[in-house]
Each structure stands twice: as structure tokens, then as C-alpha cells.
């Protein structure tokens, strides 16, 4: 039998989590198990399963066969001991933070986190008497100094949404271990294909599965992976608070993940070509893409994003907000929508997407200009995407 650590990511994307499950009537695909509860013919077996002393399922809020297959696939892709899933990416983030942070404790993070995460840091945690220290994303001395003061959690997001900054996971994980802090990394933008946070020192890696993992913008979900004891604690919190992943969404995510590596590799390649095109366009002021040598964090990305630099980029257009109001509607092969990571190209400014919950002042403080465009590269022919950008730029030339 092949050792799983030597199996490639494409093979894991297809077979992970599916070989060890007894599939209904010899089906080759994981079935959708919609049943809320699972019956037993004797009390003793039922009781053992309920106490997790025997394998089985009791109630789908706690665990479900279709959902378990999705979790096991992610566990293999991230090289983790265990995984547990949620009804959305934000449920994964909020439940994980709620599990490990108690009143009087402290969390250190960066200013460039996703807008919803930022709301948790600025609005939800302080009233619970949880101290939040948000540092400049690239200021390692400041971050390490804040960690050294003591904290329960170090929370990182890399690449960041939407500024596409890169944070050195290994360096900051080493600093966190000195104070016994838990390291949590949002790996949504990178995916397990491009980046492996657990190998770089993280304790927990999380995803909005609605994005690259599913890849088709038709299923909501979130997931965390990591040490089995840590994941068990988060699972306990989630099963009681109820933010469970629905079986139909788990099935859609499983189906989408079979092409994860193929999609991500295509998006990596196309995003690099588009970033170079944008960098040379006279209407563009700045391009944020870690694959470009001009990116300030390129060396870090080159070290830790060993699979590729991702399909996400952002860029500023001359003329700011008024220009992008003319430019974006002209694009024919891009959805203007609050989503990313799917097979279609998706575009939008942060004030309607990642940071719609934040005020203009908060976005500015986070280094997000109103005229920034977030561009999620799809799997269309890259020549068509560039031609589409070119014709749209004529609206502001």
C-alpha cells in the first residue's frame, strides 16, 4: 500500500477521504446522506457510538457521512491529523476563535485581514474583555514584540484579502511558540496546492471552502485542519453551537475539489500573465501579485508558496473610484460579485466585497484605496481575459 505522504495532491484531491468509507450500493461517488439522525437496533451499540467509543453517526449536527468524507479529504490535502467543517468560512473563523479565546486573554494579528475577520477583531472580541493587537502586516519587529508580550493566539492570513500581502508563517510561528501561543492561518487564497501552513509551524489552518476548494460558487462552507486534540475542541464547540456544514454543500464541495489542483495550476499561470500585463499598462498605478519580483514580499512568497503564487491579484487604476466605475462594467468575461476562487473570473472593489462591512476610514487605515480592484482569475483562456481587460481600459483612456 502506498504511503499517503508520498501521494500527489491531484490524487489526494480525487481519492482523499473516499477510500475508507463504505459507499452505498457500491457507488463510485460519495452519496448525499440527508438523514438528520441514524438509528440503531440495540442500546449498547448506540451508546458506544454516542460516546465515540465505536465508529458511527448519531445526529447530523454532530457528524454526517457526506460531511465526514469532505473533512477527510481536506485533512489529507493539508497533511493534518484531523479536520472539522462549518456552514461558512466565517463560521470556521468565529467558532475557532471562540473556542480558544477567553475573557482576559489576548490575540495578536495583522491589520490586513479579511473585512469580516476584522469586524470580529474590532467589534466582537473587545466587549468580551479579549485584548486585540493588530500590527502592520510587514512590520515583523512590531509583530514579534507584541507576541513577546504574551498572547493566547497568533492569527495570520496570507496572502491577505485584498491587498495580497505575504506574511512569513515560519518566522512568526517560531516567535509564537516561545510564548506558547496557538498559531492559526487562513489559507483560503493560497489553497493546499500552493501553501502548507502546518509544515511551516502553524497549529490550525482554515479555509472558506466556498472559494477555491469548491471552485464553482455553488456551495457555502468552511473547514479547519490541524492537530486532532485541537480540532476536537473546535468540533465540540461547533456541534453545540450548531454551525454545521449541510450534506448537500459537502457533496458539492467534494465534487469541486476533484479538480482542485488542475484549476489552481491554471489560475496560477494565468494570474502571473495578467499581473505582468497590468504592470505594463499605462492606466494602472500599482499591481499587487506575489509572483512579481517587484512585489515587496516576493522572496517570502517564493520560499513558502512552493506550489505557485495563486490566482488572486489586485491593482489600482489611475483616476481611482470614478475610473473603476467606468472600467469594471465594461468587462465581458468577469462577474462583478462578492466572491472569488471559482472557475469564472470575478472582480470588484473592496468596498463592495471583502471590506463592505468597514467604513471608508477603516479601509483607508488598512491601506485599501477606494479605487482598488480585486481580481480573481478564472480558468478562461488567458488571451481572452487580457483582450477583455484591454477593451475595458479604453473606457478610461
Amino acid at each position: 500500500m502506498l504511503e499517503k505522504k508520498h501521494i500527489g495532491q491531484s490524487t489526494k484531491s480525487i481519492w482523499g477521504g473516499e477510500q475508507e468509507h463504505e459507499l452505498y450500493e457500491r457507488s463510485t461517488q460519495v452519496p448525499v446522506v440527508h438523514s438528520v439522525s441514524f438509528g440503531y437496533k440495540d442500546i449498547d451499540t448506540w451508546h458506544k457510538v454516542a460516546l465515540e467509543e465505536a465508529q458511527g453517526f448519531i445526529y447530523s449536527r454532530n457528524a454526517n457521512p457526506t460531511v465526514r468524507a469532505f473533512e477527510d479529504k481536506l485533512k489529507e490535502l493539508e497533511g493534518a491529523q484531523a479536520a472539522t467543517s462549518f456552514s461558512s468560512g466565517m463560521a470556521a473563523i468565529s467558532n475557532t476563535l471562540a473556542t480558544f479565546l477567553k475573557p482576559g486573554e489576548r490575540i495578536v494579528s495583522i491589520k490586513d485581514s479579511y473585512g469580516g475577520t476584522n469586524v470580529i477583531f474590532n467589534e466582537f472580541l473587545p466587549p468580551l474583555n479579549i485584548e486585540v493587537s493588530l500590527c502592520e502586516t510587514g512590520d515583523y519587529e512590531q509583530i514579534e514584540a507584541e507576541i513577546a508580550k504574551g498572547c493566547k493566539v497568533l492569527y495570520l492570513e496570507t496572502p491577505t484579502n485584498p491587498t495580497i500581502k505575504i506574511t512569513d508563517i515560519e518566522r512568526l510561528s517560531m516567535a509564537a511558540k516561545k510564548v506558547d501561543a496557538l498559531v492559526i492561518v487562513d489559507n483560503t487564497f493560497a489553497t493546499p496546492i500552493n501553501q502548507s501552513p502546518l509544515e511551516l509551524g502553524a497549529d490550525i489552518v482554515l479555509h472558506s471552502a466556498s472559494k477555491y476548494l469548491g471552485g464553482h460558487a455553488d456551495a457555502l462552507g468552511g473547514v479547519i485542519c490541524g492537530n486532532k486534540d485541537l480540532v476536537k475542541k473546535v468540533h465540540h464547540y461547533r456541534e453545540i453551537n450548531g454551525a454545521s456544514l449541510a450534506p448537500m454543500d459537502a457533496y458539492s464541495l467534494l465534487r469541486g475539489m476533484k479538480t482542485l489542483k488542475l484549476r489552481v495550476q491554471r489560475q496560477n499561470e494565468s494570474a502571473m500573465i495578467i499581473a505582468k500585463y497590468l504592470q505594463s499598462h499605462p492606466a494602472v498605478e500599482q499591481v499587487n501579485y506575489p509572483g512579481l519580483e517587484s512585489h515587496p514580499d516576493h522572496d517570502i512568497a517564493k520560499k513558502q508558496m512552493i506550489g505557485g503564487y495563486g490566482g488572486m491579484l489586485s491593482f489600482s487604476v489611475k483616476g481611482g473610484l470614478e475610473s473603476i466605475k467606468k472600467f469594471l462594467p465594461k468587462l465581458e468575461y468577469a462577474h462583478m460579485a462578492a466572491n472569488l476562487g471559482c472557475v469564472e473570473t470575478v472582480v470588484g472593489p473592496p468596498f463592495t466585497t471583502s471590506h463592505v462591512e468597514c467604513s471608508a476610514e477603516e479601509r483607508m487605515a488598512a491601506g485599501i484605496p477606494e479605487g482598488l480592484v480585486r481580481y480573481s482569475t478564472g480558468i478562461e483562456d488567458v488571451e481572452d481575459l487580457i483582450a477583455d481587460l484591454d477593451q475595458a481600459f479604453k473606457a478610461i483612456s
Side-chain angles (χ1 to χ4, degrees):
M1 185 175 180
L2 293 172
E3 291 187 39
K4 289 185 178 179
K5 66 180 180 180
H6 298 309
I7 296 173
Q9 293 291 64
S10 271
T11 305
K12 289 178 182 178
S13 295
I14 295 169
W15 291 98
E18 300 191 22
Q19 289 179 294
E20 298 174 5
H21 291 266
E22 187 174 334
L23 304 182
Y24 179 73
E25 292 294 335
R26 301 184 184 277
S27 62
T28 62
Q29 305 302 313
V30 176
V32 186
V33 181
H34 283 297
S35 184
V36 170
S37 60
F38 301 85
Y40 291 85
K41 292 184 178 180
D42 69 89
I43 299 296
D44 290 337
T45 301
W46 183 8
H47 190 228
K48 287 181 179 179
V49 173
L51 294 177
E52 298 183 359
E53 295 175 355
Q55 290 188 341
F57 300 90
I58 299 293
Y59 194 71
S60 279
R61 172 167 54 79
N62 310 109
N64 171 280
T66 313
V67 174
R68 177 69 56 78
F70 163 71
E71 293 168 343
D72 285 350
K73 192 180 292 290
L74 250 297
K75 177 183 71 175
E76 291 193 26
L77 281 164
E78 287 287 8
Q81 293 180 353
T84 193
S85 58
F86 307 82
S87 54
S88 69
M90 283 308 303
I93 294 169
S94 59
N95 278 245
T96 302
L97 292 177
T99 299
F100 295 112
L101 288 170
K102 302 295 183 289
E105 293 181 334
R106 188 166 182 268
I107 179 172
V108 174
S109 189
I110 54 177
K111 290 183 179 179
D112 286 86
S113 58
Y114 167 64
T117 310
N118 202 264
V119 169
I120 292 177
F121 291 154
N122 288 310
E123 293 185 25
F124 295 168
L125 294 183
L128 300 176
N129 191 30
I130 295 170
E131 183 183 345
V132 180
S133 176
L134 299 182
C135 306
E136 294 295 337
T137 303
D139 191 339
Y140 288 95
E141 290 185 2
Q142 181 193 17
I143 300 171
E144 288 169 337
E146 288 300 312
I147 293 171
K149 292 178 183 177
C151 61
K152 182 65 181 293
V153 170
L154 170 66
Y155 185 96
L156 304 174
E157 178 183 307
T158 181
T160 58
N161 182 2
T163 50
I164 321 296
K165 294 179 181 179
I166 308 298
T167 302
D168 192 326
I169 299 171
E170 186 173 33
R171 175 175 174 174
L172 293 181
S173 292
M174 290 174 64
K177 299 307 177 189
K178 292 178 182 178
V179 296
D180 294 323
L182 194 69
V183 181
I184 302 172
V185 177
D186 185 337
N187 203 32
T188 299
F189 271 24
T191 80
I193 305 303
N194 291 331
Q195 183 171 268
S196 301
L198 296 177
E199 293 182 5
L200 296 169
D203 297 295
I204 290 178
V205 56
L206 60 82
H207 293 266
S208 170
S210 322
K211 309 303 190 295
Y212 282 102
L213 298 183
H216 292 78
D218 58 1
L220 280 174
V223 63
I224 70 157
C225 309
N227 172 283
K228 62 182 179 180
D229 293 330
L230 295 175
V231 171
K232 187 175 182 178
K233 290 179 181 180
V234 182
H235 174 263
H236 177 61
Y237 186 94
R238 190 270 292 160
E239 69 177 342
I240 299 302
N241 285 276
S244 306
L245 180 64
M248 191 64 221
D249 281 329
Y251 170 80
S252 296
L253 294 169
L254 276 165
R255 181 177 58 184
M257 285 173 61
K258 290 179 184 291
T259 59
L260 178 63
K261 186 171 182 179
L262 291 174
R263 289 186 283 106
V264 169
Q265 285 181 327
R266 175 63 171 262
Q267 288 160 320
N268 288 345
E269 294 167 3
S270 294
M272 177 68 86
I273 294 170
I274 290 168
K276 290 180 178 179
Y277 157 79
L278 290 169
Q279 195 174 39
S280 65
H281 200 285
V284 177
E285 290 183 330
Q286 181 178 343
V287 182
N288 305 310
Y289 186 67
L292 296 174
E293 292 185 3
S294 60
H295 192 288
D297 304 323
H298 175 71
D299 289 341
I300 300 171
K302 189 175 181 179
K303 179 185 72 170
Q304 72 184 25
M305 298 184 74
I306 58 175
Y309 299 110
M312 293 300 304
L313 56 94
S314 62
F315 58 96
S316 300
V317 176
K318 291 179 180 178
L321 180 58
E322 293 306 312
S323 287
I324 66 170
K325 284 183 177 180
K326 298 175 184 176
F327 163 69
L328 291 181
K330 293 291 184 181
L331 292 171
E332 297 178 12
Y333 296 122
H335 290 302
M336 285 200 299
N339 194 27
L340 59 92
C342 51
V343 292
E344 304 93 355
T345 295
V346 183
V347 299
F351 73 86
T352 63
T353 57
S354 64
H355 286 68
V356 66
E357 301 94 346
C358 303
S359 66
E361 291 74 22
E362 288 172 329
R363 287 191 291 271
M364 187 60 67
I368 303 171
E370 297 295 90
L372 189 70
V373 175
R374 189 180 72 177
Y375 191 96
S376 173
T377 311
I379 63 170
E380 303 93 342
D381 293 292
V382 70
E383 297 84 1
D384 294 327
L385 294 178
I386 288 178
D388 192 27
L389 285 163
D390 211 43
Q391 63 83 23
F393 274 125
K394 293 176 181 177
I396 58 173
S397 61

